Amino acid sequence: MSKAKTIISLVLLIIAFGFATAAFPFYWYEMNLKGNTFSFGVNGYLYSFGDTIEYHTYSDENRSYYKNLLTIIRACLAFDVLAWALYLVGIVLLIVKLTGKCKDSSAFKLIGKIVMVPATGFILLSVFILLATPSANKKDCIEFYGESICENGNFDFISENQNPGISWVFVIISAAFSITTMILNFCGAF
């Protein structure tokens, strides 16, 4: 039964790893302003209007205007990368366990169980940090336009004008698999 749990844990962790990896190149947050859509990533954004889609890297002005939003997006990606690295360690440990090497080492078993705790914590931080985008957007607006223009703005996390991007969805899925793997590791996969 322990070998079956280890295989299941390995498969779930590979899936979590895949979704964490998939979040790297895509967009974390989208805004729709008067029919124009902006999809924000770490290094640039997609600007869609009508049938036209353009990719832009951030100019100094864009970096200044979206300073707080970009800080949030970079933090999300950073924690995603940290979780990804620990997922990789977990995958290697599970493969080593399946091959039968180090199976009786209590230190190996402890590391195998513990590695998923910070990995899950990092991926959950990536998920929850993005929830600060309304506050970041409002700060960016106030810094650029002034408080009088921005006080009545729509700064909801999800609305008809703004919502999280596909990268956020990927890290949520990764987090679900990460939590499941962590539980399995503590319940006998290691």
Side-chain angles (χ1 to χ4, degrees), residues 54-88:
E54 298 174 355
Y55 176 79
H56 297 274
T57 56
Y58 295 111
S59 66
D60 289 341
E61 183 180 353
N62 293 136
R63 273 192 213 96
S64 173
Y65 180 76
Y66 297 113
K67 177 180 73 175
N68 295 299
L69 176 62
L70 292 177
T71 299
I72 297 290
I73 290 171
R74 287 183 190 118
C76 290
L77 179 63
F79 283 110
D80 182 30
V81 169
L82 289 171
W84 177 89
L86 289 175
Y87 288 167
L88 193 57

Side-chain angles (χ1 to χ4, degrees), residues 126-138:
S126 184
V127 169
F128 291 121
I129 286 172
L130 199 72
L131 296 175
T133 52
S135 172
N137 286 335
K138 187 168 186 174

Side-chain angles (χ1 to χ4, degrees), residues 28-33 36-38 40 65-66 69 132-138 141 153-165:
W28 288 86
Y29 204 71
E30 295 182 351
M31 289 184 205
N32 188 332
L33 307 170
N36 301 321
T37 302
F38 297 87
F40 296 94
Y65 180 76
Y66 297 113
L69 176 62
T133 52
S135 172
N137 286 335
K138 187 168 186 174
C141 182
N154 178 1
F155 297 104
D156 295 333
F157 181 64
I158 297 175
S159 69
E160 81 178 58
N161 295 328
Q162 50 199 17
N163 55 286

Side-chain angles (χ1 to χ4, degrees):
M1 185 64 176
S2 178
K3 188 171 185 169
K5 286 182 184 176
T6 304
I7 291 169
I8 292 168
S9 184
L10 178 62
V11 169
L12 294 175
L13 188 53
I14 289 170
I15 293 170
F17 178 82
F19 278 105
T21 304
F24 293 171
F26 290 103
Y27 299 95
W28 288 86
Y29 204 71
E30 295 182 351
M31 289 184 205
N32 188 332
L33 307 170
K34 298 179 183 173
N36 301 321
T37 302
F38 297 87
S39 301
F40 296 94
V42 173
N43 295 317
Y45 62 95
L46 281 180
Y47 175 58
S48 307
F49 54 98
D51 292 336
T52 306
I53 299 174
E54 298 174 355
Y55 176 79
H56 297 274
T57 56
Y58 295 111
S59 66
D60 289 341
E61 183 180 353
N62 293 136
R63 273 192 213 96
S64 173
Y65 180 76
Y66 297 113
K67 177 180 73 175
N68 295 299
L69 176 62
L70 292 177
T71 299
I72 297 290
I73 290 171
R74 287 183 190 118
C76 290
L77 179 63
F79 283 110
D80 182 30
V81 169
L82 289 171
W84 177 89
L86 289 175
Y87 288 167
L88 193 57
V89 170
I91 289 169
V92 169
L93 291 172
L94 286 165
I95 290 171
V96 169
K97 181 168 188 313
L98 282 172
T99 62
K101 297 177 177 24
C102 300
K103 66 180 177 182
D104 294 329
S105 169
S106 60
F108 179 78
K109 289 178 181 179
L110 181 64
I111 292 169
K113 289 177 182 178
I114 298 298
V115 75
M116 285 308 298
V117 174
T120 302
F122 289 147
I123 202 71
L124 287 172
L125 279 170
S126 184
V127 169
F128 291 121
I129 286 172
L130 199 72
L131 296 175
T133 52
S135 172
N137 286 335
K138 187 168 186 174
K139 285 179 187 174
D140 287 337
C141 182
I142 290 170
E143 288 174 15
F144 200 75
Y145 293 112
E147 195 162 337
S148 61
I149 292 176
C150 300
E151 67 186 40
N152 294 325
N154 178 1
F155 297 104
D156 295 333
F157 181 64
I158 297 175
S159 69
E160 81 178 58
N161 295 328
Q162 50 199 17
N163 55 286
I166 192 69
S167 289
W168 192 65
V169 174
F170 287 156
V171 294
I172 288 174
I173 295 169
S174 179
F177 283 102
S178 184
I179 291 167
T180 307
T181 302
M182 182 179 67
I183 292 168
L184 269 176
N185 284 358
F186 277 100
C187 293
F190 266 98

